[in-house]
Amino acid sequence: MLDLRYIRENAGAVKKNCADRGVEADVDLVVGLADRRSALLQELEGLRARQNQLAKAVGKERDEGARARLIEESRELKERIPELEEELHRVEERLTEEQLKIPNLTHPEAPIGKDDSENVEIRRWGEPKEFGFEPKDHVELGEALGIIDFDAGAKTTGSKFYFLRGDAVLLELGLVRFALDLLSGRGYELAMTPDLARDRMLLGTGFVPRGPETQIYSVEDTDLSLIATAEITLAGQLADEIVEEGSLPRRFAGLSHCFRTEAGAHGRASRGLYRVHQFTKVEMFAFTTPEQSEEMHREMLGIEEEIFRTLEIPYRVVDICTGDLGAAAYRKYDVEAWMPGRRDYGEVTSTSNTTDYQARRLGIRYRPEGGRPRLLHTLNGTAIAVSRTMIALLENHQREDGSVVLPEALVPYVGREVLGPPHR
């Protein structure tokens, strides 16, 4: 959430930022509601002060007529003050509702664009492999190997759910442990978070937990929702807290399942594991001072790239344009892996600097030495989203006989050098 004072003092710049990001938010309404709230608070302060004066004056007044007039004025105030308090409550609720619609500010170097077609490629690593045969996509490979079962998932739960079987179970666990070991060695504190969070935590991180636009699964008759990413729980763990500056930056590696409705996602680009309703992810998250956040953002991107280089998967890095940033991100980079089945690159990781946007919503601050508490910055980045990483691994490392050779660094974690056809 943007600072209200900043919105009021920079309404023109905030409107332009909303336009650049393709976000519908009524900045003028927010300013008007903020002005009305200020006027109501001022009026209430004056009326309450007058009410206190009258209470003292009535007891001292000896003239019956004057005393009656004071009592009448006091009665009128007793009726008026609750009316203004009720209006103030309505104004504050609407102000918060409208203020939440305003996105974060945007890094001045982020590309201006309307959607993902205008994201800007920064660099590439590796060359897409030239196969001496017609490569299969991960769905064909997974079914032939007997390790991915979409039919069982659809039968038990619904479309876009799946069973992992045999070596794919070991592959998922191996990918998770590989990522956790790497991050632990870089000073990230390991955490396994709940798969549910209060709606306040979703709102605080920029997600929409309820309503027609949500892509979140919510639990009826509760304030709980299934998380779309451990970013939600990792951010929420410090809600309403003040941390000491000396403890920053604080880095976390969170393991969780992730749940997304993925409404409207169809077509070959979304085939198989690319868009599913449930998957496992290791998420990087950091709390920093404002001065540390850009360096932390570069660190997270560097780790994401290192992971895919180690897995020997060609990728490119993309600078996300304003229209594709979402509400919370100040700047975002995606790593897109080469996926032979798509004959194109597909997003496998994303890292965002959300500056103080989430911290303001969640009330997370730090105390500088000898100073007053300030809002800190939060950042997030995917280390491993298992489903999409599995796509890239299977498709890039396949052999003509349908087996898959695992990259050397992953072999100790999976206990296999090759994923081969099932024994009959």
Side-chain angles (χ1 to χ4, degrees):
M1 172 158 41
L2 283 193
D3 178 59
L4 189 56
R5 176 181 293 181
Y6 181 90
I7 295 171
R8 295 173 80 175
E9 295 177 354
N10 302 273
V14 174
K15 288 180 187 178
K16 182 180 184 305
N17 186 55
C18 289
D20 287 344
R21 295 172 74 122
V23 173
E24 293 184 7
D26 194 333
V27 178
D28 289 333
L29 177 58
V30 170
V31 172
L33 288 167
D35 290 344
R36 180 57 183 156
R37 185 184 70 165
S38 296
L40 285 167
L41 287 169
Q42 187 173 356
E43 185 175 358
L44 278 166
E45 184 179 0
L47 292 180
R48 287 170 182 145
R50 177 59 179 160
Q51 193 175 42
N52 289 334
Q53 291 174 352
L54 289 172
K56 295 175 181 177
V58 167
K60 295 178 179 178
E61 183 59 60
R62 295 292 176 262
D63 182 275
E64 287 300 322
R67 191 168 184 274
R69 288 191 294 274
L70 292 173
I71 291 172
E72 176 62 21
E73 184 181 354
S74 180
R75 185 189 64 77
E76 291 174 356
L77 288 181
K78 199 171 183 179
E79 293 176 357
R80 177 62 177 153
I81 287 174
E83 291 174 358
L84 290 179
E85 288 174 336
E86 177 60 30
E87 183 183 355
L88 177 62
H89 177 70
R90 291 195 304 270
V91 167
E92 288 181 329
E93 278 195 336
R94 184 71 189 284
L95 175 58
T96 299
E97 178 185 339
E98 296 299 326
Q99 190 179 353
L100 286 172
K101 296 176 182 178
I102 297 176
N104 200 358
L105 298 176
T106 305
H107 192 288
E109 295 178 15
I112 305 296
K114 63 181 183 300
D115 55 36
D116 60 3
S117 67
E118 298 186 70
N119 294 338
V120 175
E121 182 179 315
I122 299 173
R123 58 181 168 270
R124 294 189 181 196
W125 181 88
E127 291 294 329
K129 184 177 179 179
E130 292 291 336
F131 294 94
F133 56 91
E134 183 63 29
K136 299 179 175 68
D137 73 5
H138 70 284
V139 176
E140 297 170 294
L141 289 165
E143 289 176 349
L145 293 170
I147 60 175
I148 307 175
D149 189 341
F150 291 100
D151 290 338
K155 180 187 292 184
T156 61
T157 314
S159 64
K160 292 295 183 180
F161 289 93
Y162 56 95
F163 276 54
L164 296 181
R165 300 190 185 278
D167 286 350
V169 177
L170 300 178
L171 181 56
E172 168 155 326
L173 296 174
L175 285 167
V176 166
R177 185 58 190 271
F178 161 69
L180 291 176
D181 280 358
L182 188 153
L183 292 171
S184 178
R186 303 297 171 81
Y188 286 73
E189 180 182 331
L190 304 187
M192 185 177 289
T193 86
D195 290 339
L196 289 158
R198 299 186 188 280
D199 289 346
R200 183 201 167 194
M201 304 307 167
L202 278 84
L203 284 167
T205 46
F207 291 84
V208 180
R210 311 278 165 151
E213 296 181 1
T214 188
Q215 292 209 8
I216 299 293
Y217 289 104
S218 56
V219 181
E220 190 174 6
D221 298 326
T222 75
D223 69 339
L224 294 173
S225 294
L226 290 168
I227 61 171
T229 166
E231 170 192 348
I232 295 164
T233 39
L234 291 171
Q237 66 183 318
L238 292 186
D240 303 317
E241 292 190 22
I242 299 173
V243 300
E244 296 302 320
E245 182 176 15
S247 70
L248 300 175
R250 293 185 65 181
R251 300 169 173 87
F252 292 90
L255 172 61
S256 76
H257 293 112
C258 303
F259 302 87
R260 304 181 184 185
T261 65
E262 296 288 10
H266 301 290
R268 182 167 180 81
S270 299
R271 174 170 156 85
L273 292 174
Y274 194 78
R275 290 195 186 279
V276 289
H277 295 315
Q278 177 182 335
F279 58 96
T280 303
K281 180 153 70 87
V282 177
E283 179 79 357
M284 296 179 285
F285 196 87
F287 300 94
T288 75
T289 66
E291 295 75 21
Q292 296 166 336
S293 66
E294 291 217 22
E295 181 181 350
M296 180 60 67
H297 200 198
R298 290 189 292 271
E299 174 183 303
M300 286 184 172
L301 177 59
I303 289 172
E304 291 176 344
E305 291 190 69
E306 180 181 351
I307 286 172
F308 281 85
R309 288 196 302 271
T310 305
L311 296 177
E312 302 171 26
I313 295 172
Y315 67 83
R316 66 180 183 180
V317 179
V318 176
D319 195 353
I320 302 303
C321 75
T322 53
D324 197 29
L325 280 174
Y330 173 67
R331 196 172 198 184
K332 181 193 291 188
Y333 300 107
D334 283 358
V335 171
E336 298 181 347
W338 177 254
M339 297 181 178
R342 294 161 62 100
R343 296 181 178 86
D344 198 0
Y345 291 91
E347 179 198 336
V348 284
T349 76
S350 181
T351 178
S352 299
N353 182 354
T354 67
T355 61
D356 61 8
Y357 188 84
Q358 294 176 335
R360 180 173 285 105
R361 288 177 171 221
L362 291 169
I364 309 172
R365 296 176 292 168
Y366 75 99
R367 191 190 312 278
E369 186 175 348
R372 300 179 62 181
R374 298 175 58 194
L375 291 169
L376 47 66
H377 281 195
T378 59
L379 302 96
N380 64 82
T382 310
I384 289 280
V386 171
S387 54
R388 291 191 180 182
T389 304
M390 198 173 289
I391 294 173
L393 268 171
L394 295 177
E395 293 184 359
N396 280 284
H397 296 306
Q398 64 179 291
R399 298 191 296 196
E400 189 170 6
D401 64 358
S403 62
V404 176
V405 180
L406 293 182
E408 183 179 350
L410 204 55
V411 170
Y413 292 99
V414 181
R416 302 278 192 280
E417 293 183 357
V418 177
L419 307 183
H423 299 291
R424 299 299 183 188

